[in-house]
Amino acid sequence: MIRGKFIALEGGEGTGKSTQSRLLAAALKERGIDVVVTREPGGTPGAEAIRNLLLAPPGAGWGPRAEALLFAAARSDHVEKIILPALEAGKWVICDRFLDSSRAYQGGAGGVGDEAVLTLHGIGSKGLRPDLTLLVQVPAAKVAARLAERDGDISDAIGGRDASYHAEVAASFARFAEQEPDHFAVIDGDSGPEEVHQHIMTALRPLLDGEP
Ligand code: TMP
C-alpha cells in the first residue's frame, strides 16, 4: 500500500507556521500531490471542542498534567479520524503543530517531562510520528513585534504566558531538533514568507524525490 507523507510544522507563536502550511500545500498540489492541511489542537469537531477548552479554559484553567492529557486526547481523535485515513489513502498531510508542541509546551515549559508526553502519545495515537517536522525559528524580539501587530493585547491562555515560559518552549524545540536530526529540519523563519517557503521546499527535497 502506498502511504502518503506526514509533515508537521512546529515553532513558537507568531513564527509564520500557518502561512507556510498554506504555501506548502499550494506547492505540493501544483506537483499533483493530494494534500490535506490540518492543525492542532483541532482538526475534528471533538478536537476543536477540546481546543476551546484549552485556549479559553473555564474557571481557574488547567494544570500542566491535565493540559497534557487534553492535548493528547484531541490528538488521538485527530489522528484516528483525519491523519491516518488520509495517509492510508496515499495523501500527504500537513499539520500546523503536532506532538512536538506537546513535548515543548507541556513536557518542557510545563514541567510534565518528555517521557510522560511520549507515553501519552503512545496511548492516544499509537506513537505516530511525522515523516518530517519543520521547526520554524524566528528571534524572540522579532516574534514579539509580529504578535503585537497581529493580536494586539489579545492572546489565548497559552500564548499569553510569560516570556520565560515561551523561552523554555523555544529552547525545548531547539533541543529536540539537535538531538533528533533525522526527524527535524530547522527552518530560518526570519525573512519574508516566499523566502521561508523556499527554505522549506529545499528541506523537503529528499521526501519529494520519487514523487511526480
Ligand atoms: P495555535 O495558536 O498555533 O493554533 O496553537 C494554540 C496554542 O496551543 C499555542 O499557544 C500552542 C499551544 N499548544 C500546546 O501547548 N501544546 C500542543 O500540543 C499544541 C498542539 C499546541
Side-chain angles (χ1 to χ4, degrees):
M1 186 176 45
I2 297 172
R3 191 183 158 105
K5 301 273 192 276
F6 180 19
I7 313 294
L9 281 101
E10 296 280 12
E13 328 286 312
T15 49
K17 296 180 300 302
S18 308
T19 305
Q20 292 305 323
S21 297
R22 282 194 295 277
L23 291 174
L24 176 57
L28 295 179
K29 281 178 191 160
E30 225 167 75
R31 287 169 168 256
I33 297 173
D34 213 345
V35 186
V36 171
V37 184
T38 187
R39 68 158 182 190
E40 290 206 347
T44 64
E48 290 289 337
I50 295 175
R51 177 186 179 91
N52 290 335
L53 286 174
L54 280 158
L55 300 187
W62 309 102
R65 279 176 296 281
E67 200 173 270
L69 284 158
L70 286 166
F71 275 111
R75 184 161 300 124
S76 175
D77 197 52
H78 188 208
V79 165
E80 185 184 317
K81 297 194 173 119
I82 301 289
I83 297 178
L84 276 182
L87 293 174
E88 281 161 9
K91 297 177 186 172
W92 284 44
V93 174
I94 299 171
C95 195
D96 185 347
R97 297 193 181 279
F98 191 66
L99 168 69
D100 295 300
S101 278
S102 285
R103 296 176 68 201
Y105 284 78
Q106 286 68 51
V112 172
D114 202 38
E115 214 179 304
V117 171
L118 289 171
T119 299
L120 292 180
H121 188 58
I123 296 166
S125 302
K126 298 183 187 159
L128 177 73
R129 300 293 291 264
D131 292 287
L132 185 66
T133 296
L134 300 162
L135 173 58
V136 185
Q137 289 182 323
V138 178
K142 203 67 163 281
V143 165
R146 279 190 194 178
L147 287 175
E149 195 176 311
R150 189 186 77 182
D151 300 340
D153 287 339
I154 301 158
S155 55
D156 61 58
I158 298 176
R161 288 179 185 157
D162 65 19
S164 69
Y165 182 91
H166 289 289
E168 189 48 50
V169 167
S172 300
F173 275 132
R175 201 167 53 244
F176 304 149
E178 199 183 312
Q179 289 168 351
E180 301 159 35
D182 292 347
H183 281 143
F184 285 87
V186 177
I187 305 295
D188 178 0
D190 190 13
S191 55
E194 217 16 81
E195 201 172 318
V196 177
H197 172 63
Q198 290 313 322
H199 295 322
I200 286 180
M201 294 310 288
T202 303
L204 276 182
R205 240 181 239 150
L207 284 185
L208 283 166
D209 279 353
E211 293 291 328

